[in-house]
Amino acid sequence: MRKTSTLSRRSLLRALGGGAVFGALAGCGVPAAYVSPGDRAGADLSARDKRLTWSNWPLYIDTDDKDHTKRPTLDAFEKRTGISVDYIEEINDNDEFFGKISPSLMNHQQTGRDLIVISDWMCARFVRLGWVQRMNRAEQPNVAKYLDPLLSSPSFDPGRRSTVPWQSGITGIAYNRRKVGREIRHVSDLWAGDLKGRVTLLSGLDEAFALLMQGNGVDVTRWTADDFHRICDQVEGHVHSGQIRRFTGNDYTKDLVSGDVLACQAYSGDVIQLQADNPDIRFVVPEEGAELWSDSLMIPNLAHHKANAEKLVDYYYRPEVAAELASWVNYVCPVPAAQDILASSGDKDTAALAENPLIFPDATMRKRLAIARDITSTERTAFAKRWNAIAGL
């Protein structure tokens, strides 16, 4: 089983960071930032220029076991279509990447990229600013047919016209079953007295808030400011009482493995990797629910190879291709039809992945998953200020 990157697929919001930048751009309604629909498309050279440039996160695509410079699914796409792909692993943080390409986009300039992958909460900013183009779904029959219905219509992009999930994941609770000595089933279980000082929460606002609201019984698809401040009040109390050890990025995995932490907010993809070495580590979708999130593909404005990029996106929604990718990255696969492909594999370990509910959530788990309403530009600055003060950012 492959190890995924230790870098978070969902960035940390650091001391307002990109949130403050975005507030200055969109929250104040700066005209130069927003791009109207008629100004988003550029001259598409795809028909005569068989190439595209794709920016992604490190270690977020399959590689050959013997030669890590080879990417089997991507190599097969190039051979199948004749389209050459310049694949760049340059995205390490959503806010950092926003800062890198936003000057071009707000000034109606080409970014040099035809396809990018960023987290959905950041995708929401791009969509609202008009910085990405709608995809031609008529040329993407696999996306139309195989995209998981749970992921098909987030509030920021109804119908997924401008974004398509690359991989998904679940923010839930990880814990050491042997050391805790019982099952954890609820968010409120984090506040049990015998866990005092051995609980961590995620430090990023966008990463942490939804699960905590779900613990209060909130429908996170339409949460309110009151819901947000209520969880802040609660978390402040747990910080002051010493219940919460600290706030973390992806380094929560080290605390969980060492035993310094017994229970924590966690990402499903990370826990799959931890379980390979320690079967006592469990991941739970609380009975109140958990957040389903995605890192999504988008075509930025003025991209010179839009049609080529659309073909690549649709290629990765072929069930057999999605299955090959899922067997490597171990995140929630956005193509449920890939499950049968993996199940029929002659390799025992590969076939076992089809039964893993953290890659293909079962019916019970799916009922508990929800895509949270994203934080709007008008909410972000004040919300981030309060959360970051609690988390010590």
Side-chain angles (χ1 to χ4, degrees), residues 357-374:
L358 301 187
I359 299 176
F360 297 100
D362 56 29
T364 299
M365 185 179 290
R366 289 174 71 88
K367 290 178 181 178
R368 297 177 182 172
L369 300 176
I371 299 176
R373 171 180 80 75
D374 53 291

Side-chain angles (χ1 to χ4, degrees), residues 11-28 33 93-103 106 121-126 128-129 131 204-207 375-385 388 393:
S11 81
L12 304 178
L13 183 65
R14 300 185 186 278
L16 297 185
V21 174
F22 179 70
L25 292 176
C28 298
D93 179 277
N94 286 291
D95 288 317
E96 178 184 56
F97 189 68
F98 178 92
K100 181 183 291 186
I101 68 173
S102 59
M106 75 173 67
W121 62 266
M122 180 62 81
C123 290
R125 300 183 186 182
F126 280 71
R128 287 197 183 105
L129 285 167
W131 287 1
L205 169 60
D206 294 274
E207 290 75 19
I375 299 170
T376 68
S377 58
T378 54
E379 294 169 327
R380 180 164 294 277
T381 300
F383 285 9
K385 184 176 181 179
N388 290 347
L393 296 179

Side-chain angles (χ1 to χ4, degrees), residues 19-68:
V21 174
F22 179 70
L25 292 176
C28 298
V30 179
Y34 178 77
V35 178
S36 60
D39 295 326
R40 296 172 192 172
D44 193 349
L45 309 180
S46 295
R48 59 183 172 85
D49 191 12
K50 296 294 185 178
R51 63 188 177 93
L52 69 95
T53 299
W54 179 12
S55 294
N56 205 347
W57 300 74
L59 302 178
Y60 215 13
I61 197 170
D62 54 306
T63 59
D64 187 271
D65 288 337
K66 296 180 180 179
D67 184 352
H68 288 198

Side-chain angles (χ1 to χ4, degrees), residues 53-310:
T53 299
W54 179 12
S55 294
N56 205 347
W57 300 74
L59 302 178
Y60 215 13
I61 197 170
D62 54 306
T63 59
D64 187 271
D65 288 337
K66 296 180 180 179
D67 184 352
H68 288 198
T69 65
K70 294 182 178 180
R71 304 178 179 96
T73 57
L74 190 56
D75 294 343
F77 170 79
E78 291 181 316
K79 184 176 181 179
R80 179 187 183 92
T81 63
I83 297 170
S84 175
V85 181
D86 183 13
Y87 185 81
I88 307 171
E89 295 183 327
E90 66 169 331
I91 305 175
N92 294 301
D93 179 277
N94 286 291
D95 288 317
E96 178 184 56
F97 189 68
F98 178 92
K100 181 183 291 186
I101 68 173
S102 59
S104 296
L105 290 166
M106 75 173 67
N107 288 299
H108 307 261
Q109 297 172 352
Q110 215 274 335
T111 67
R113 301 160 182 87
D114 301 294
L115 197 62
I116 61 176
V117 178
I118 53 178
S119 299
D120 269 357
W121 62 266
M122 180 62 81
C123 290
R125 300 183 186 182
F126 280 71
V127 171
R128 287 197 183 105
L129 285 167
W131 287 1
V132 291
Q133 301 181 61
R134 280 198 165 198
M135 297 188 200
N136 182 1
R137 201 65 83 231
E139 298 298 322
Q140 296 180 315
N142 293 313
V143 174
K145 183 176 181 179
Y146 294 116
L147 173 60
D148 191 331
L150 278 178
L151 301 168
S152 65
S153 195
S155 60
F156 69 89
D157 186 21
R160 286 283 186 184
R161 303 305 304 177
S162 302
T163 66
V164 174
W166 170 244
Q167 295 294 292
S168 291
I170 302 166
T171 301
I173 297 173
Y175 68 105
N176 188 308
R177 174 64 177 82
R178 182 176 60 83
K179 292 184 177 181
V180 172
R182 64 180 183 279
E183 299 290 338
I184 285 181
R185 295 190 175 90
H186 306 277
V187 175
S188 59
D189 291 341
L190 293 173
W191 319 132
D194 60 341
L195 298 184
K196 185 173 182 177
R198 304 183 77 178
V199 172
T200 61
L201 298 182
L202 295 168
S203 58
L205 169 60
D206 294 274
E207 290 75 19
F209 81 91
L211 181 70
L212 299 173
M213 285 186 185
Q214 286 166 307
N216 286 341
V218 173
D219 177 355
V220 294
T221 65
R222 50 185 182 184
W223 57 270
T224 67
D226 287 342
D227 296 324
F228 172 78
H229 289 296
R230 187 173 298 111
I231 64 163
C232 286
D233 292 342
Q234 293 167 348
V235 172
E236 276 184 320
H238 294 307
V239 169
H240 294 153
S241 72
Q243 185 74 20
I244 296 172
R245 183 184 184 89
R246 68 188 186 100
F247 293 82
T248 73
N250 261 40
D251 52 338
Y252 70 82
T253 57
K254 298 177 183 178
D255 291 340
L256 193 59
V257 169
S258 71
D260 290 336
V261 161
L262 298 182
C264 58
Q265 275 190 316
Y267 304 132
S268 55
D270 290 338
V271 176
I272 290 176
Q273 303 303 324
L274 296 179
Q275 289 173 332
D277 299 318
N278 186 346
D280 290 324
I281 292 177
R282 308 286 178 84
F283 182 87
V284 62
V285 171
E287 292 185 9
E288 302 87 1
E291 182 189 13
L292 179 67
W293 50 265
S294 298
D295 295 328
S296 291
L297 297 144
M298 299 193 301
I299 299 173
N301 288 353
L302 305 181
H304 287 321
H305 306 94
K306 181 175 184 285
N308 291 344
E310 289 169 339

